[in-house]
Amino acid sequence: MSTKSPTVTLIAVALIALIVGVVIGYMIPKAPTGEVVPKSEYDKVLAENEQLRSKVEELQKKLEAMGAKEITIVIWTIGPDPPSEYRYKNFEIAAEMLNKWLTLMGSNVKVKVEGEFFVRPVEWKEYRNKFYMAAKAGKAPDIYLTGHEDIGFLADNNYIIPLDDYIQEYWDVVYYDVIPTLWKAVEYKGHKWAIPQDTEVRPLYFRKDILRQLGWSEEEIEALPKKIQNGEFTLEDLLELAKQAKDAGLVERGLVHRVKEGYDYFQFYLGFGGRLWDPAQGKMVFTKSAWKKTLEWFHRAVYEYEVISPTQFSGDWDKDFHGPFTQGKTLFLSGGSWHKGEWISKGLLTEESFKENVGFALHPAGEAGLKPVTLSHPLIYTITKQAADRGVADVAFMLITLVTDPHLNANHAIASSHLAILYSEILDSRYTQDWFLKDVAYMLDYTTFIPNHPNWGDYSRVVYESIKAVEGGESPEDAYNYMLSEIQKLGDVFIIED
């Protein structure tokens, strides 16, 4: 069970002091002269918060009509990386803000939040299973954070409710400010089922210090991300360079990738020209040529170039992923933007050592003429059907609206190295001062969202099993035949193309 930390309390107090008196409209100061805050910006914020005050007043009346004295909202969120803790902590701040406002309005109703922020060793699969079991037992949380790709399954099985009406009602409060492409990630069968919480990109990290030892100049090192962006450094070049570093005895491994099932491997398939999703037909895509090349590449990486360990998939996150890279024992790491925040917060690297010795780039094109890639996996807040049945969906949505504040969401983005979801969040002074978030932002131009399809989990599982088998010694041909046969069993949900 989450407990409130001193940091949360301090932030809550600061935000309440800054926002409540001014924003709620009871003590609105005169407009500034423009020396500090432009009047247009002041008027915009004032209008937004007049809307918010109106919504809080409506909520107050509903709660009092219910005869409620205390409303408890249960919230489940996950990292699993610890720096993503503000996915939950922001709700504690939001509840304090809401209760302060209710008190100012003369209400004696209190909103309480309870829940959990899950971190490793709990992984996504276990977290999802916990939710499904809780939902079937009638004990689902009211607010459930998950990946956007789960929406189809959750909606089709009546676990969550559509949020179109809420979003429209609160549009002028904050939702107009959400970066538009993120709304696509929460749409399914003509409805919006969730509110975006964050997004990310997945860089290919590399060790600058190893490249220096290989004789690269600073100019050549700094030029590598641009060469990848231009398609001048491919996945084949990556194998060659990783082998050079390993043969020279500079590293123990050439490349490390995640050690558990996940979505990162799809970037290699995309790099070889594969497609994941056909929006016109609403179907997932299996590109035969790209999957053949991907499986062959992983097999050669393990058994010809010997730059990926054959036991990488049965490894440990610290010993086989974070450790080898942050200690300079591997040249490349296929990771996510959030890993930078995790390494700093865990003390594995300092901000200075990261900047000095770590570079980052898109995942390279599979071969000349193709494009470099990254992959994004927006996380989302949903409201469960059981929250609606309990009559607390209005309160749940108010809390989600409050944590969608640009400054609160920036708490999370800065601490965990995730990307902003709001245009105004990009202008937050802390966000603008974060050089890493600024420097990876261009990767969003090269990103692909994971398909929001009920059978996405099946696709992911088959890919994981196939690549794991190839790295374990199975031939690429046999792994490909298994992959294709499993995909064909799923039927009409796929487009299978050459």
Side-chain angles (χ1 to χ4, degrees):
M1 196 69 67
S2 177
T3 57
K4 195 180 300 178
S5 70
T7 303
V8 172
T9 302
L10 286 172
I11 292 173
V13 169
L15 283 169
I16 291 168
L18 285 169
I19 298 173
V20 170
V22 176
V23 164
I24 200 65
Y26 286 104
M27 297 178 285
I28 296 174
K30 293 180 180 179
T33 61
E35 291 182 1
V36 177
V37 180
K39 186 174 185 306
S40 59
E41 183 63 21
Y42 175 87
D43 291 342
K44 172 175 163 290
V45 173
L46 192 62
E48 291 173 6
N49 289 287
E50 282 292 341
Q51 292 270 347
L52 184 56
R53 182 182 69 170
S54 172
K55 296 305 176 190
V56 174
E57 287 176 339
E58 290 176 16
L59 181 65
Q60 175 200 10
K61 292 174 183 174
K62 287 181 182 178
L63 296 178
E64 290 181 349
M66 291 166 58
K69 297 296 182 185
E70 182 175 278
I71 302 288
T72 299
I73 301 297
V74 180
I75 302 155
W76 281 15
T77 66
I78 183 172
D81 53 306
S84 292
E85 61 186 351
Y86 279 100
R87 286 174 180 153
Y88 181 82
K89 284 185 173 180
N90 277 343
F91 280 105
E92 296 178 333
I93 298 170
E96 287 205 33
M97 293 165 65
L98 180 55
N99 285 326
K100 185 73 175 177
W101 296 343
L102 290 170
T103 300
L104 286 169
M105 291 175 174
S107 174
N108 59 2
V109 180
K110 295 292 182 186
V111 174
K112 179 181 177 184
V113 295
E114 291 182 351
E116 245 177 301
F117 170 64
F118 292 88
V119 296
R120 293 190 175 99
V122 176
E123 296 283 354
W124 274 99
K125 185 176 182 180
E126 183 180 353
Y127 173 69
R128 289 183 170 108
N129 287 338
K130 283 178 180 286
F131 173 79
Y132 301 143
M133 292 173 64
K136 288 176 181 176
K139 297 179 179 178
D142 301 304
I143 296 173
Y144 174 56
L145 174 125
T146 191
H148 78 104
E149 74 279 9
D150 291 341
I151 286 177
F153 179 83
L154 294 170
D156 282 353
N157 287 280
N158 206 28
Y159 286 132
I160 60 175
I161 62 172
L163 302 181
D164 306 83
D165 291 343
Y166 282 121
I167 293 168
Q168 183 176 5
E169 186 180 343
Y170 284 74
W171 184 258
D172 291 338
V173 174
V174 69
Y175 296 113
Y176 74 92
D177 195 31
V178 173
I179 296 170
T181 52
L182 293 174
W183 286 123
K184 295 293 183 186
V186 303
E187 292 176 356
Y188 180 68
K189 292 185 176 177
H191 295 286
K192 291 183 175 67
W193 296 85
I195 301 300
Q197 190 275 323
D198 74 13
T199 191
E200 86 293 326
V201 290
R202 296 171 189 238
L204 176 74
Y205 292 100
F206 58 91
R207 295 287 310 206
K208 295 180 181 179
D209 49 349
I210 303 301
L211 294 181
R212 290 185 191 110
Q213 294 177 64
L214 278 174
W216 284 43
S217 68
E218 291 301 320
E219 290 75 18
E220 289 173 323
I221 292 170
E222 296 305 321
L224 180 56
K226 193 66 177 179
K227 288 184 69 175
I228 291 176
Q229 188 178 355
N230 292 338
E232 299 166 358
F233 183 97
T234 67
L235 287 175
E236 293 303 308
D237 297 318
L238 184 156
L239 291 180
E240 293 287 350
L241 185 55
K243 188 173 189 306
Q244 284 181 34
K246 192 162 182 289
D247 289 348
L250 299 175
V251 293
E252 296 174 0
R253 311 180 193 202
L255 168 70
V256 294
H257 58 63
R258 62 181 298 123
V259 299
K260 304 293 182 185
E261 183 179 350
Y263 309 142
D264 305 28
Y265 324 112
F266 285 89
Q267 294 175 109
F268 297 86
Y269 161 75
L270 293 169
F272 279 113
R275 293 199 302 149
L276 281 180
W277 178 245
D278 187 301
Q281 299 187 51
K283 294 183 179 182
M284 295 182 289
V285 181
F286 182 96
T287 307
K288 293 180 179 178
S289 58
W291 275 124
K292 286 179 180 176
K293 292 177 181 176
T294 301
L295 294 172
E296 289 167 356
W297 186 89
F298 274 100
H299 191 268
R300 287 191 293 117
V302 176
Y303 295 102
E304 180 181 339
Y305 287 84
E306 298 181 333
V307 295
I308 295 179
S309 167
T311 60
Q312 181 71 22
F313 275 118
S314 57
D316 174 86
W317 277 110
D318 290 329
K319 294 179 181 177
D320 298 289
F321 184 80
H322 300 296
F325 187 74
T326 57
Q327 294 165 17
K329 296 178 180 177
T330 187
L331 177 56
F332 291 109
L333 179 142
S334 174
S337 57
W338 64 92
H339 286 131
K340 186 259 185 180
E342 191 170 358
W343 295 330
I344 303 296
S345 69
K346 284 183 173 178
L348 298 175
L349 292 171
T350 64
E351 189 75 30
E352 292 72 25
S353 64
F354 178 87
K355 199 166 189 176
E356 173 67 18
N357 291 320
V358 177
F360 42 89
L362 293 161
H363 279 69
E367 53 196 28
L370 297 177
K371 295 180 179 178
V373 300
T374 188
L375 197 64
S376 294
H377 172 225
L379 296 193
I380 56 169
Y381 288 126
T382 65
I383 294 179
T384 64
K385 176 66 164 51
Q386 288 177 33
D389 293 342
R390 287 206 308 123
V392 299
D394 290 353
V395 182
F397 193 82
M398 173 62 79
L399 288 171
I400 291 175
T401 299
L402 294 176
V403 301
T404 309
D405 173 88
H407 305 296
L408 285 185
N409 196 271
N411 290 340
H412 164 71
I414 302 301
S416 65
S417 295
H418 282 86
L419 301 183
I421 60 166
L422 303 157
Y423 284 119
S424 55
E425 184 179 352
I426 296 172
L427 301 176
D428 182 281
S429 59
R430 294 164 298 165
Y431 197 89
T432 58
Q433 292 170 17
D434 191 306
W435 68 275
F436 175 75
L437 294 179
K438 176 174 174 287
D439 284 2
V440 298
Y442 81 95
M443 294 185 186
L444 287 173
D445 292 336
Y446 295 82
T447 200
T448 296
F449 287 144
I450 292 165
N452 182 10
H453 192 281
N455 290 105
W456 167 253
D458 296 315
Y459 197 1
S460 176
R461 173 185 54 79
V462 171
V463 167
Y464 168 69
E465 291 173 349
S466 301
I467 296 178
K468 183 178 181 181
V470 162
E471 290 194 356
E474 187 168 313
S475 73
E477 294 77 14
D478 287 347
Y480 171 78
N481 290 333
Y482 165 79
M483 179 186 278
L484 180 59
S485 67
E486 290 296 302
I487 293 301
Q488 288 171 331
K489 289 177 185 174
L490 295 172
D492 195 42
V493 300
F494 269 97
I495 295 171
I496 299 177
E497 62 185 18
D498 291 335

